[in-house]
Amino acid sequence: MRKITPTILAAAFAAAPMAALAQMPTPADLVKNWDKDGDGAISKAEWVAAGRPAERFDAVDANKDGKVTAAELDAAMNALRQRGG
C-alpha cells in the first residue's frame, strides 16, 4: 500500500480552490441558465426560481430596472470577492 506524504496531500488541498474556481460558471453562463424568457437578463422571478434569495436581487440590480444583466452580476460577484466572502 502506498503512503500519501504530507507534501502530496498539501498540494492536493492547495489545488482544490483553483479547481473550484475553474468550474464556477461565469456571470454570462448564469444569466443564460436562469433567463427562462430569453430576454438576456434575469428578472426577480427568474432569480428566485433559480434558488437565489429574493432579498439579494435588489443589491445586484445596480440600475434598479428590475433585471439583472451579466455585467451587473459580474460586478456584484467581483465586489463579493474583494470583501473576501
Coordinates of all heavy atoms in Angstrom, one line a residue:
M1 N 0.8 -1.2 0.0 CA 0.0 0.0 0.0 C 0.9 1.2 0.0 O 1.9 1.3 0.7 CB -0.9 0.0 1.2 CG -1.8 1.2 1.2 SD -2.9 1.6 2.4 CE -3.5 0.4 3.3
R2 N 0.5 2.2 -0.8 CA 1.3 3.5 -0.9 C 0.9 4.4 0.3 O -0.3 4.5 0.6 CB 1.0 4.2 -2.2 CG 1.5 3.3 -3.4 CD 1.2 4.0 -4.6 NE 2.2 5.0 -4.9 CZ 2.2 5.9 -5.9 NH1 1.1 6.0 -6.6 NH2 3.1 6.7 -6.0
K3 N 1.9 5.1 0.8 CA 1.6 6.1 1.8 C 1.5 7.5 1.1 O 2.2 7.8 0.1 CB 2.8 6.2 2.8 CG 2.8 5.0 3.7 CD 3.9 5.3 4.7 CE 3.9 4.1 5.7 NZ 4.8 4.3 6.8
I4 N 0.6 8.3 1.5 CA 0.4 9.6 1.0 C 1.2 10.5 1.9 O 1.0 10.7 3.1 CB -1.1 10.1 1.0 CG1 -1.9 9.2 0.1 CG2 -1.2 11.5 0.6 CD1 -3.3 9.4 0.1
T5 N 2.2 11.2 1.2 CA 3.1 12.1 2.0 C 2.4 13.4 2.3 O 1.5 13.8 1.5 CB 4.4 12.3 1.2 OG1 4.0 13.1 0.1 CG2 5.1 11.1 0.9
P6 N 2.8 14.1 3.4 CA 2.2 15.4 3.7 C 2.3 16.4 2.5 O 1.4 17.2 2.3 CB 2.9 15.8 4.9 CG 3.4 14.6 5.5 CD 3.7 13.6 4.4
T7 N 3.4 16.3 1.8 CA 3.6 17.2 0.6 C 2.6 17.0 -0.4 O 2.0 18.0 -1.0 CB 5.0 17.1 0.1 OG1 6.0 17.2 1.1 CG2 5.3 18.0 -1.0
I8 N 2.3 15.8 -0.8 CA 1.3 15.4 -1.8 C -0.1 15.9 -1.3 O -0.9 16.5 -2.1 CB 1.3 13.9 -2.1 CG1 2.6 13.6 -2.8 CG2 0.1 13.6 -3.0 CD1 2.8 12.1 -3.0
L9 N -0.4 15.6 -0.1 CA -1.7 16.0 0.5 C -1.8 17.5 0.5 O -2.9 18.0 0.1 CB -1.8 15.5 1.9 CG -3.1 15.2 2.5 CD1 -3.9 14.2 1.6 CD2 -3.0 14.6 3.9
A10 N -0.8 18.2 0.9 CA -0.8 19.7 0.9 C -1.0 20.2 -0.5 O -1.8 21.2 -0.7 CB 0.4 20.3 1.5
A11 N -0.4 19.6 -1.5 CA -0.5 20.1 -2.9 C -1.9 19.9 -3.4 O -2.5 20.7 -4.1 CB 0.5 19.4 -3.8
A12 N -2.5 18.7 -3.0 CA -3.9 18.5 -3.4 C -4.9 19.5 -2.9 O -5.7 19.9 -3.6 CB -4.2 17.0 -3.0
F13 N -4.7 19.8 -1.6 CA -5.6 20.7 -1.0 C -5.4 22.2 -1.5 O -6.3 22.9 -1.6 CB -5.5 20.7 0.6 CG -6.2 19.6 1.2 CD1 -5.5 18.6 1.9 CD2 -7.6 19.4 1.1 CE1 -6.1 17.5 2.5 CE2 -8.2 18.4 1.7 CZ -7.5 17.4 2.4
A14 N -4.2 22.5 -1.8 CA -3.9 23.8 -2.4 C -4.5 24.0 -3.8 O -4.9 25.1 -4.1 CB -2.4 24.0 -2.4
A15 N -4.5 22.9 -4.5 CA -5.0 23.0 -5.9 C -6.6 22.9 -5.9 O -7.2 23.4 -6.8 CB -4.5 21.8 -6.7
A16 N -7.2 22.5 -4.8 CA -8.6 22.4 -4.8 C -9.4 23.7 -5.0 O -10.3 23.7 -5.8 CB -9.1 21.7 -3.5
P17 N -9.0 24.8 -4.3 CA -9.7 26.0 -4.6 C -9.5 26.5 -6.1 O -10.5 27.0 -6.6 CB -9.0 27.1 -3.7 CG -8.4 26.2 -2.6 CD -8.0 24.9 -3.3
M18 N -8.4 26.3 -6.7 CA -8.2 26.6 -8.1 C -9.1 25.8 -9.0 O -9.7 26.3 -9.9 CB -6.8 26.5 -8.5 CG -5.8 27.4 -7.8 SD -6.4 29.1 -7.9 CE -5.4 29.7 -9.2
A19 N -9.3 24.5 -8.7 CA -10.2 23.7 -9.4 C -11.6 24.1 -9.3 O -12.4 24.2 -10.3 CB -10.0 22.2 -9.0
A20 N -12.0 24.6 -8.1 CA -13.3 25.0 -7.9 C -13.6 26.3 -8.7 O -14.7 26.5 -9.2 CB -13.6 25.3 -6.4
L21 N -12.6 27.2 -8.7 CA -12.8 28.4 -9.5 C -12.9 28.1 -11.0 O -13.7 28.8 -11.7 CB -11.6 29.4 -9.3 CG -11.6 30.2 -8.0 CD1 -10.3 31.0 -7.8 CD2 -12.8 31.1 -7.9
A22 N -12.1 27.2 -11.4 CA -12.2 26.8 -12.9 C -13.6 26.2 -13.2 O -14.0 26.4 -14.4 CB -11.1 25.8 -13.2
Q23 N -14.3 25.7 -12.3 CA -15.6 25.1 -12.5 C -16.7 26.0 -12.3 O -17.8 25.7 -12.6 CB -15.8 23.8 -11.7 CG -14.8 22.7 -12.0 CD -14.9 21.5 -11.1 OE1 -15.5 21.6 -10.0 NE2 -14.4 20.4 -11.5
M24 N -16.5 27.2 -11.7 CA -17.5 28.1 -11.4 C -18.1 28.7 -12.7 O -17.3 29.1 -13.6 CB -17.0 29.3 -10.6 CG -17.0 29.0 -9.1 SD -16.5 30.5 -8.2 CE -18.1 31.4 -8.2
P25 N -19.4 28.7 -12.9 CA -19.9 29.3 -14.1 C -19.7 30.8 -14.1 O -19.6 31.5 -13.1 CB -21.4 29.0 -14.0 CG -21.7 28.7 -12.5 CD -20.4 28.2 -11.9
T26 N -19.5 31.4 -15.3 CA -19.4 32.8 -15.5 C -20.7 33.5 -15.3 O -21.8 32.8 -15.4 CB -18.8 33.1 -16.9 OG1 -19.8 32.8 -17.8 CG2 -17.5 32.4 -17.2
P27 N -20.7 34.8 -15.0 CA -22.0 35.5 -14.9 C -22.8 35.3 -16.2 O -24.0 35.2 -16.1 CB -21.5 37.0 -14.7 CG -20.2 36.8 -14.0 CD -19.6 35.6 -14.6
A28 N -22.2 35.3 -17.4 CA -22.9 35.1 -18.6 C -23.5 33.8 -18.7 O -24.7 33.6 -19.1 CB -22.0 35.3 -19.8
D29 N -22.8 32.7 -18.2 CA -23.4 31.4 -18.1 C -24.6 31.3 -17.2 O -25.6 30.7 -17.5 CB -22.4 30.4 -17.6 CG -21.3 30.1 -18.7 OD1 -21.5 30.3 -19.9 OD2 -20.2 29.7 -18.2
L30 N -24.5 32.0 -16.0 CA -25.6 32.0 -15.1 C -26.8 32.7 -15.7 O -28.0 32.2 -15.6 CB -25.2 32.8 -13.8 CG -24.2 32.0 -12.9 CD1 -23.7 32.9 -11.8 CD2 -24.7 30.7 -12.4
V31 N -26.6 33.8 -16.3 CA -27.7 34.5 -17.0 C -28.4 33.6 -18.0 O -29.6 33.5 -18.1 CB -27.3 35.9 -17.6 CG1 -28.4 36.5 -18.5 CG2 -27.0 36.9 -16.5
K32 N -27.6 33.0 -18.8 CA -28.1 32.1 -19.9 C -28.9 30.9 -19.2 O -30.0 30.6 -19.8 CB -26.9 31.5 -20.6 CG -27.3 30.6 -21.8 CD -26.0 30.1 -22.5 CE -26.3 29.1 -23.5 NZ -25.1 28.6 -24.2
N33 N -28.4 30.4 -18.1 CA -29.2 29.3 -17.5 C -30.4 29.7 -16.7 O -31.4 29.0 -16.7 CB -28.2 28.6 -16.5 CG -27.2 27.8 -17.2 OD1 -27.3 27.3 -18.3 ND2 -26.0 27.6 -16.6
W34 N -30.4 30.9 -16.1 CA -31.5 31.4 -15.3 C -32.5 32.2 -16.1 O -33.7 32.3 -15.7 CB -31.0 32.2 -14.2 CG -30.1 31.5 -13.2 CD1 -29.8 30.2 -13.1 CD2 -29.4 32.1 -12.1 NE1 -29.0 29.9 -12.1 CE2 -28.7 31.1 -11.5 CE3 -29.2 33.4 -11.7 CZ2 -27.8 31.3 -10.4 CZ3 -28.4 33.7 -10.6 CH2 -27.7 32.6 -10.0
D35 N -32.2 32.7 -17.3 CA -33.0 33.5 -18.1 C -34.0 32.7 -18.9 O -33.8 32.3 -20.0 CB -32.2 34.4 -19.0 CG -33.0 35.2 -20.0 OD1 -34.2 35.5 -19.7 OD2 -32.5 35.6 -21.1
K36 N -35.2 32.4 -18.3 CA -36.1 31.5 -18.9 C -37.0 32.1 -20.0 O -37.4 31.4 -20.9 CB -37.1 30.9 -17.8 CG -36.4 30.1 -16.7 CD -35.5 29.0 -17.3 CE -34.8 28.2 -16.3 NZ -33.8 27.3 -16.8
D37 N -37.1 33.5 -20.0 CA -37.9 34.1 -21.0 C -37.0 34.6 -22.2 O -37.5 35.1 -23.2 CB -38.7 35.3 -20.5 CG -37.9 36.4 -19.9 OD1 -36.7 36.4 -20.1 OD2 -38.6 37.3 -19.4
G38 N -35.7 34.4 -22.1 CA -34.8 34.6 -23.2 C -34.6 36.1 -23.6 O -34.1 36.4 -24.7
D39 N -34.8 37.0 -22.6 CA -34.6 38.4 -22.9 C -33.2 38.9 -22.6 O -32.9 40.1 -22.7 CB -35.6 39.3 -22.1 CG -35.4 39.3 -20.6 OD1 -34.6 38.5 -20.1 OD2 -36.1 40.1 -20.0
G40 N -32.3 38.0 -22.2 CA -30.9 38.3 -21.9 C -30.6 38.9 -20.6 O -29.5 39.3 -20.3
A41 N -31.6 38.9 -19.7 CA -31.4 39.3 -18.3 C -32.2 38.5 -17.4 O -33.1 37.7 -17.8 CB -31.8 40.8 -18.2
I42 N -32.0 38.6 -16.1 CA -32.7 37.8 -15.1 C -33.7 38.7 -14.4 O -33.3 39.7 -13.8 CB -31.7 37.2 -14.1 CG1 -30.6 36.4 -14.7 CG2 -32.4 36.4 -13.0 CD1 -29.4 36.1 -13.8
S43 N -35.0 38.3 -14.4 CA -36.0 39.0 -13.6 C -35.9 38.5 -12.2 O -35.3 37.5 -11.9 CB -37.4 38.8 -14.2 OG -37.7 37.4 -14.0
K44 N -36.6 39.2 -11.3 CA -36.7 38.8 -9.9 C -37.3 37.4 -9.8 O -36.8 36.6 -9.0 CB -37.4 39.8 -9.1 CG -37.2 39.6 -7.6 CD -37.7 40.7 -6.8 CE -37.2 40.7 -5.4 NZ -37.4 41.9 -4.6
A45 N -38.3 37.1 -10.6 CA -39.0 35.8 -10.6 C -38.0 34.7 -11.0 O -38.0 33.6 -10.4 CB -40.2 35.8 -11.5
E46 N -37.2 35.0 -12.1 CA -36.2 34.0 -12.5 C -35.1 33.8 -11.5 O -34.6 32.7 -11.3 CB -35.6 34.5 -13.9 CG -36.6 34.5 -15.0 CD -36.1 35.2 -16.2 OE1 -35.4 36.2 -16.1 OE2 -36.6 34.8 -17.3
W47 N -34.7 34.9 -10.8 CA -33.7 34.9 -9.8 C -34.2 33.9 -8.7 O -33.4 33.0 -8.2 CB -33.5 36.3 -9.3 CG -32.6 36.5 -8.1 CD1 -32.8 36.4 -6.8 CD2 -31.2 36.8 -8.2 NE1 -31.7 36.7 -6.1 CE2 -30.7 36.9 -6.9 CE3 -30.3 37.0 -9.3 CZ2 -29.4 37.3 -6.6 CZ3 -29.0 37.3 -9.0 CH2 -28.5 37.5 -7.7
V48 N -35.4 34.1 -8.2 CA -35.9 33.3 -7.1 C -36.1 31.8 -7.6 O -35.8 30.9 -6.8 CB -37.3 33.9 -6.6 CG1 -37.9 33.0 -5.6 CG2 -37.0 35.3 -6.0
A49 N -36.6 31.7 -8.8 CA -36.8 30.3 -9.4 C -35.4 29.6 -9.4 O -35.4 28.3 -9.3 CB -37.4 30.4 -10.7
A50 N -34.3 30.3 -9.6 CA -33.0 29.7 -9.6 C -32.5 29.4 -8.2 O -31.4 28.9 -8.1 CB -32.0 30.6 -10.4
G51 N -33.3 29.7 -7.2 CA -32.9 29.3 -5.8 C -32.1 30.4 -5.1 O -31.5 30.2 -4.1
R52 N -32.1 31.6 -5.7 CA -31.4 32.7 -5.1 C -32.3 33.5 -4.1 O -33.5 33.6 -4.4 CB -30.9 33.7 -6.2 CG -30.0 33.1 -7.2 CD -28.8 32.3 -6.7 NE -28.0 33.1 -5.8 CZ -27.3 32.6 -4.9 NH1 -27.2 31.3 -4.7 NH2 -26.5 33.4 -4.1
P53 N -31.8 34.0 -3.0 CA -32.7 34.8 -2.1 C -33.2 36.1 -2.7 O -32.5 36.9 -3.3 CB -31.7 35.1 -0.9 CG -30.5 34.3 -1.1 CD -30.4 33.9 -2.6
A54 N -34.5 36.2 -2.6 CA -35.2 37.4 -3.2 C -34.6 38.7 -2.7 O -34.4 39.7 -3.5 CB -36.7 37.4 -2.9
E55 N -34.2 38.7 -1.4 CA -33.7 40.0 -0.9 C -32.3 40.4 -1.4 O -31.9 41.5 -1.3 CB -33.6 39.9 0.7 CG -32.7 38.8 1.2 CD -33.4 37.5 1.4 OE1 -34.6 37.3 0.9 OE2 -32.8 36.5 1.9
R56 N -31.6 39.5 -2.1 CA -30.3 39.8 -2.7 C -30.5 40.4 -4.1 O -29.6 41.0 -4.6 CB -29.5 38.5 -2.8 CG -28.9 38.1 -1.5 CD -27.4 37.9 -1.6 NE -26.9 37.6 -0.3 CZ -26.3 36.4 -0.1 NH1 -26.1 35.6 -1.0 NH2 -25.7 36.2 1.1
F57 N -31.6 40.2 -4.7 CA -31.8 40.7 -6.1 C -31.6 42.2 -6.2 O -30.9 42.6 -7.1 CB -33.2 40.3 -6.6 CG -33.5 40.7 -8.0 CD1 -33.2 39.9 -9.0 CD2 -34.1 41.9 -8.2 CE1 -33.4 40.3 -10.3 CE2 -34.4 42.3 -9.6 CZ -34.0 41.5 -10.6
D58 N -32.2 42.9 -5.3 CA -32.2 44.4 -5.4 C -30.7 44.9 -5.2 O -30.4 45.9 -5.8 CB -33.0 45.0 -4.3 CG -34.5 44.7 -4.6 OD1 -34.9 44.6 -5.8 OD2 -35.3 44.6 -3.6
A59 N -29.9 44.2 -4.5 CA -28.5 44.6 -4.3 C -27.7 44.4 -5.6 O -26.8 45.1 -5.9 CB -27.9 43.9 -3.1
V60 N -28.1 43.4 -6.4 CA -27.3 43.0 -7.6 C -27.9 43.9 -8.8 O -27.1 44.3 -9.6 CB -27.4 41.5 -7.9 CG1 -26.8 41.2 -9.2 CG2 -26.9 40.7 -6.7
D61 N -29.1 44.2 -8.7 CA -29.7 45.0 -9.8 C -29.3 46.5 -9.6 O -30.0 47.3 -9.1 CB -31.3 44.9 -9.7 CG -32.0 45.7 -10.8 OD1 -31.3 46.1 -11.8 OD2 -33.2 45.9 -10.6
A62 N -28.1 46.8 -10.1 CA -27.5 48.1 -9.8 C -28.2 49.3 -10.4 O -28.3 50.3 -9.7 CB -26.0 48.1 -10.4
N63 N -28.8 49.1 -11.6 CA -29.5 50.3 -12.1 C -31.0 50.3 -11.8 O -31.8 51.1 -12.3 CB -29.3 50.4 -13.7 CG -29.9 49.2 -14.4 OD1 -30.5 48.3 -13.8 ND2 -29.8 49.2 -15.7
K64 N -31.5 49.4 -11.0 CA -32.8 49.3 -10.5 C -33.9 49.2 -11.6 O -35.0 49.8 -11.4 CB -33.1 50.5 -9.5 CG -32.1 50.6 -8.4 CD -32.0 49.3 -7.6 CE -31.0 49.5 -6.5 NZ -30.4 48.2 -6.1
D65 N -33.6 48.5 -12.7 CA -34.6 48.4 -13.7 C -35.4 47.1 -13.6 O -36.2 46.8 -14.5 CB -33.9 48.5 -15.1 CG -33.0 47.3 -15.4 OD1 -32.7 46.5 -14.5 OD2 -32.5 47.2 -16.5
G66 N -35.2 46.3 -12.6 CA -36.0 45.1 -12.4 C -35.4 43.9 -13.1 O -36.0 42.8 -13.1
K67 N -34.2 44.1 -13.6 CA -33.5 43.0 -14.3 C -32.0 43.0 -13.9 O -31.4 44.0 -13.7 CB -33.6 43.1 -15.8 CG -35.0 43.2 -16.3 CD -35.2 42.2 -17.4 CE -36.7 42.3 -17.8 NZ -37.2 41.0 -18.0
V68 N -31.4 41.8 -13.9 CA -30.0 41.6 -13.6 C -29.3 41.1 -14.9 O -29.7 40.1 -15.4 CB -29.7 40.7 -12.4 CG1 -28.3 40.3 -12.3 CG2 -30.3 41.2 -11.1
T69 N -28.4 41.9 -15.3 CA -27.6 41.5 -16.5 C -26.3 40.8 -16.1 O -26.0 40.8 -14.9 CB -27.2 42.8 -17.3 OG1 -26.4 43.6 -16.5 CG2 -28.5 43.6 -17.7
A70 N -25.7 40.3 -17.1 CA -24.4 39.6 -16.8 C -23.4 40.6 -16.3 O -22.6 40.2 -15.4 CB -23.8 38.9 -18.1
A71 N -23.4 41.8 -16.8 CA -22.5 42.8 -16.3 C -22.8 43.2 -14.8 O -21.8 43.3 -14.0 CB -22.6 44.1 -17.1
E72 N -24.0 43.3 -14.4 CA -24.4 43.6 -13.0 C -24.0 42.4 -12.1 O -23.5 42.6 -11.0 CB -25.9 43.9 -12.9 CG -26.3 45.2 -13.5 CD -27.8 45.4 -13.5 OE1 -28.5 44.5 -13.9 OE2 -28.2 46.5 -13.2
L73 N -24.2 41.2 -12.6 CA -23.9 40.0 -11.8 C -22.4 39.9 -11.7 O -21.9 39.6 -10.6 CB -24.5 38.8 -12.5 CG -24.4 37.5 -11.7 CD1 -25.1 37.6 -10.4 CD2 -25.1 36.4 -12.5
D74 N -21.6 40.2 -12.7 CA -20.2 40.2 -12.7 C -19.7 41.2 -11.6 O -18.8 40.9 -10.8 CB -19.6 40.5 -14.0 CG -18.1 40.3 -14.1 OD1 -17.6 39.3 -13.5 OD2 -17.4 41.1 -14.7
A75 N -20.2 42.4 -11.7 CA -19.8 43.5 -10.7 C -20.1 43.0 -9.3 O -19.3 43.2 -8.4 CB -20.5 44.8 -11.1
A76 N -21.3 42.4 -9.1 CA -21.6 42.0 -7.7 C -20.7 40.9 -7.2 O -20.3 40.9 -6.1 CB -23.1 41.6 -7.7
M77 N -20.4 40.0 -8.1 CA -19.5 38.8 -7.8 C -18.1 39.3 -7.5 O -17.5 38.9 -6.5 CB -19.5 37.8 -8.9 CG -20.8 37.0 -9.0 SD -21.0 36.0 -10.5 CE -19.9 34.6 -10.0
N78 N -17.6 40.3 -8.3 CA -16.3 40.9 -8.0 C -16.3 41.6 -6.7 O -15.3 41.5 -5.9 CB -15.9 41.8 -9.1 CG -15.5 41.1 -10.4 OD1 -15.0 39.9 -10.3 ND2 -15.6 41.7 -11.5
A79 N -17.3 42.4 -6.4 CA -17.4 43.1 -5.1 C -17.4 42.1 -3.9 O -16.7 42.3 -2.9 CB -18.7 44.0 -5.1
L80 N -18.1 41.0 -4.1 CA -18.1 40.0 -3.0 C -16.8 39.4 -2.8 O -16.3 39.2 -1.7 CB -19.2 38.9 -3.4 CG -19.4 37.8 -2.4 CD1 -20.0 38.4 -1.1 CD2 -20.4 36.8 -2.9
R81 N -16.1 39.1 -3.9 CA -14.7 38.5 -3.8 C -13.8 39.5 -3.1 O -12.9 39.1 -2.4 CB -14.2 38.2 -5.2 CG -14.6 36.8 -5.7 CD -13.9 36.5 -7.0 NE -14.8 35.9 -7.9 CZ -15.4 36.5 -9.0 NH1 -15.0 37.6 -9.4 NH2 -16.3 35.8 -9.7
Q82 N -13.9 40.8 -3.5 CA -13.0 41.7 -2.8 C -13.2 41.9 -1.3 O -12.3 42.2 -0.6 CB -13.1 43.1 -3.5 CG -12.5 43.1 -4.9 CD -12.6 44.5 -5.6 OE1 -13.2 45.4 -5.1 NE2 -12.0 44.6 -6.7
R83 N -14.5 41.7 -0.9 CA -14.8 41.7 0.5 C -14.4 40.4 1.2 O -14.4 40.3 2.4 CB -16.3 41.9 0.7 CG -16.7 43.3 0.4 CD -18.1 43.6 0.9 NE -19.1 42.6 0.5 CZ -20.1 42.7 -0.4 NH1 -20.2 43.9 -0.9 NH2 -20.9 41.8 -0.7
G84 N -14.0 39.4 0.4 CA -13.5 38.2 1.0 C -14.6 37.2 1.3 O -14.4 36.3 2.1
G85 N -15.7 37.3 0.7 CA -16.8 36.4 1.0 C -17.5 36.0 -0.2 O -18.4 35.3 -0.3

